[in-house]
Amino acid sequence: MRLPPSTDAWRATFASSPAQRVALFFDDRLEFTAALFAAWAEHKQVVLPGDVLPATLQALAPHVDAWAGDFPNTPTLQPRAPVTTPFPALNREHEGVVVFTSGSTGQPTAITKKLRQLFDEVETLEHTFGARCGPEATVFSTVSHQHIYGLLFSVLWPVFSGRALTARRLEYPEQLEQVLAPAPCVLISSPAHLKRLPDVPTWKTQLRAVFSSGGPLPPEGAAMSRAILGHQPIEIYGSSETGGIAWRQGLEQPWAPLRGVEIRTSASDTLELKSPHLPSAEWFTTADRIATTGDTFTLLGRADRIAKIEEKRVSLELIERTAVATGLLSEARVVTLQGARITLGLVGVPTAAGAALTRKQLVDRLKAALASTIELVALPRRYRFVDVMPLNDQGKLTEARLTPLFAPERPDAQWLERTPAHAALTLKISPQLRVLDGHFPETPVVPGVAQLDWAISWGRECFPIKGQLTRMDALKFQRLMLPGHEVRLDLDWNAEKAVLTFKFHSPKGVYSSGKVMLSA
């Protein structure tokens, strides 16, 4: 094993702490590695949050005893004077790490892994790919080590194979050429990063291999990797629950199971497997449909991407394929939206042809194309168009990232001024605002009640307003507020009288204004 120098300092920290479940989050991969192995050496269970957002930490708090790393506004354990005893043998049956699935529904699920599962998978990676990487290759990564793919490929594999790993994740394509050129190296990446490589001549690198996981590699991602990096990516298929299942190199190739993985097809054509990467020797059933050919297989899509709309079973993947086939969208993703009844929403990335249309024209064209394949009752009811799909840091597209596109309550705001009595902010009225849904579809406008609600909610953010609305005065709506408008909101607070005065305006004129009286 090749461990960072600070490992013994972290061993001292964990040896002196009674905490059994420790949350780790480090931007620095070397420090993360040191803390991870030190925690295992002291028989701690490591919990790996995917991010440090307030909601994530709040949900995690009841399940951990201590925190170590880059957690904001949180007391954390710190490295101590290093221990001098040799690094101990690790217990392979220790439930050493808890990771979280991205969750197709956006609700993360905790997955506990024994060290045996992780170490067996690392041995498989070295057996399958070690020769082509070479022992001297440095491992670079564009993916986070806080998730299972990044943990295995960019931390555990280098540590156990003796390869050098780097401290920082490569977040921008512009960083790649300069770090991949000096010496033999391996790149751990994802479809999201590979398809966004800059369109430039082939880089001069010493890459031995490029790995991709986290989702299907699109043809443009494979083409960009071949053209710019000089390598066809090696794709890894698996999940947080199963670990690695299979691999291939080339989009036209079938998937070959990794060493020790047995596969079969269930009665409903979904993949079932036995694997040393699983917690038990039982068959595990996935939601991926497959077709087998000898010892290999092809993926046919997710069995769980079927929605029931008005008692009709609808394939979300079929809607997505049909939308992209129009040539108006380069990517499409359909999500189920909960409400009085379940409806579908479609998020799309317009092509040049799609972007040349008005929003109404684009929606109408998509609806017409979908209506030839999908029953009318099951057509998407709501549409959102984005420049880039909102992927998480593992390059995955989850409902947790997509669903909020359909329900922003307020426009994005930029504060210009905030004093105890006056505040000013600018707003850009996005077509995606929920208040626009159903209000004059031909010409959506921001309703006056929404403007009043915005004024009060932003007023509560910057002034010590505690009371409830009691009366409105001098309320005027003078101009239509439309999608695309950039609007300034001025707020004045009279604390003595508990009166909030507001005015929405722009160089076009005043949209609305008034006074709001609140109880003391």
Side-chain angles (χ1 to χ4, degrees):
M1 284 196 305
R2 185 173 178 175
L3 294 173
S6 59
T7 303
D8 287 339
W10 281 107
R11 280 178 60 200
T13 297
F14 293 125
S16 64
S17 172
Q20 289 302 305
R21 299 169 300 175
V22 182
L24 295 188
F25 189 97
F26 290 86
D27 288 328
D28 187 306
R29 186 179 287 108
L30 294 174
E31 203 66 11
F32 170 85
T33 303
L36 177 72
F37 277 85
W40 287 344
E42 299 302 325
H43 312 292
K44 309 296 186 184
Q45 185 177 73
V46 171
V47 180
L48 299 182
D51 56 61
V52 290
L53 296 174
T56 301
L57 303 188
Q58 183 178 6
L60 199 60
H63 307 288
V64 300
D65 307 316
W67 311 77
D70 306 321
F71 291 102
N73 305 315
T74 303
T76 56
L77 300 175
Q78 299 297 320
R80 301 164 64 97
V83 297
T84 56
T85 56
F87 194 87
L90 298 176
N91 177 8
R92 288 172 54 87
E93 294 304 315
H94 176 50
E95 293 185 337
V97 68
V98 178
V99 295
F100 295 88
T101 65
S102 297
S104 60
T105 64
Q107 296 299 320
T109 300
I111 306 294
T112 301
K113 296 277 187 179
K114 292 183 177 180
L115 297 189
R116 168 184 55 79
Q117 296 171 251
L118 302 174
F119 298 169
D120 284 349
E121 185 159 357
V122 166
E123 289 179 11
T124 297
L125 296 180
E126 183 63 18
H127 174 269
T128 310
F129 308 114
R132 76 175 71 196
C133 296
E136 74 280 20
T138 298
V139 178
F140 293 95
S141 177
T142 67
V143 300
S144 170
H145 48 267
Q146 296 287 143
H147 299 267
I148 191 66
Y149 169 49
L151 174 67
L152 284 163
F153 277 73
S154 69
V155 173
L156 300 184
W157 188 16
V159 165
F160 282 102
S161 65
R163 295 184 180 90
L165 57 90
T166 53
R168 293 291 173 179
R169 179 164 68 99
L170 301 173
E171 299 187 53
Y172 306 104
E174 295 76 15
Q175 298 173 294
L176 289 175
E177 184 179 19
Q178 62 187 24
V179 301
L180 300 179
C185 55
V186 171
L187 179 63
I188 311 303
S189 194
S190 71
H193 294 102
L194 293 177
K195 73 179 182 181
R196 290 179 174 83
L197 289 171
D199 189 5
V200 297
T202 303
W203 287 337
K204 294 181 179 179
T205 73
Q206 296 194 52
L207 270 171
R208 299 289 179 79
V210 175
F211 292 90
S212 176
S213 190
L217 181 65
E220 62 267 29
M224 291 294 281
S225 179
R226 290 194 304 270
I228 308 306
L229 301 177
H231 283 266
Q232 174 70 41
I234 298 169
E235 290 185 85
I236 306 296
Y237 162 61
S239 68
S240 298
E241 296 93 335
T242 63
I245 298 173
W247 71 283
R248 69 178 181 180
Q249 190 171 23
L251 303 186
E252 72 287 351
Q253 297 297 317
W255 293 95
L258 289 165
R259 183 184 67 166
V261 177
E262 300 177 52
I263 66 165
R264 70 183 185 188
T265 308
S266 73
S268 55
D269 293 328
T270 56
L271 169 66
E272 295 185 336
L273 69 144
K274 281 186 177 181
S275 169
H277 314 151
L278 288 167
S280 73
E282 302 299 318
W283 285 96
F284 181 93
T285 302
T286 75
D288 292 322
R289 295 179 296 112
I290 65 166
T292 58
T293 305
D295 294 331
T296 63
F297 63 93
T298 55
L299 290 169
L300 304 178
R302 296 278 293 182
D304 60 359
R305 297 209 66 224
I306 301 292
K308 204 167 188 180
I309 308 295
E310 301 292 336
E311 304 307 317
K312 303 288 185 180
R313 287 172 58 82
V314 184
S315 168
L316 305 187
E317 290 182 340
L318 175 60
I319 296 176
E320 292 161 0
R321 290 197 303 270
T322 304
V324 170
T326 64
L328 300 173
L329 302 178
S330 60
E331 296 179 67
R333 187 64 179 242
V334 178
V335 295
T336 56
L337 303 173
Q338 304 296 324
R341 63 188 181 94
I342 295 176
T343 58
L344 299 182
L346 185 147
V347 181
V349 178
T351 61
L357 303 174
T358 66
R359 185 180 190 280
K360 183 178 185 305
Q361 289 171 332
L362 179 54
V363 170
D364 287 347
R365 292 271 296 275
L366 290 171
K367 284 182 175 179
L370 292 171
S372 65
T373 306
I374 310 298
E375 292 191 59
L376 290 177
V377 71
L379 288 177
R381 293 287 186 252
R382 301 172 69 184
Y383 294 79
R384 296 291 182 259
F385 302 108
V386 295
D387 295 329
V388 178
M389 286 290 188
L391 306 174
N392 65 16
D393 57 11
Q394 284 300 100
K396 291 187 177 182
L397 193 57
T398 66
E399 288 201 13
R401 292 296 180 101
L402 293 169
T403 303
L405 295 176
F406 293 91
E409 299 282 352
R410 305 184 308 186
D412 291 334
Q414 181 177 356
W415 291 97
L416 302 175
E417 184 180 355
R418 293 179 70 167
T419 71
H422 177 74
L425 57 157
T426 57
L427 321 170
K428 187 165 184 179
I429 308 304
S430 164
Q432 282 76 43
L433 287 170
R434 189 167 74 176
V435 297
L436 296 172
D437 285 349
H439 287 85
F440 310 108
E442 296 297 324
T443 308
V445 301
V446 177
V449 66
Q451 297 177 45
L452 181 62
D453 179 69
W454 293 348
I456 295 173
S457 65
W458 270 306
R460 291 187 186 278
E461 285 187 19
C462 54
F463 306 128
I465 299 175
K466 298 180 181 179
Q468 300 301 311
L469 174 66
T470 59
R471 187 164 61 90
M472 293 176 288
D473 193 18
L475 200 58
K476 297 179 181 179
F477 296 97
Q478 299 165 259
R479 183 177 298 274
L480 292 179
M481 191 180 295
L482 305 176
H485 283 186
E486 293 191 6
V487 178
R488 173 173 170 139
L489 170 59
D490 279 284
L491 297 168
D492 291 285
W493 171 241
N494 186 323
E496 184 178 347
K497 296 182 178 180
V499 173
L500 177 70
T501 302
F502 72 91
K503 183 170 72 171
F504 290 93
H505 61 102
S506 75
K508 300 177 185 293
V510 177
Y511 295 94
S512 62
S513 60
K515 294 182 179 181
V516 178
M517 289 67 172
L518 298 115
S519 59

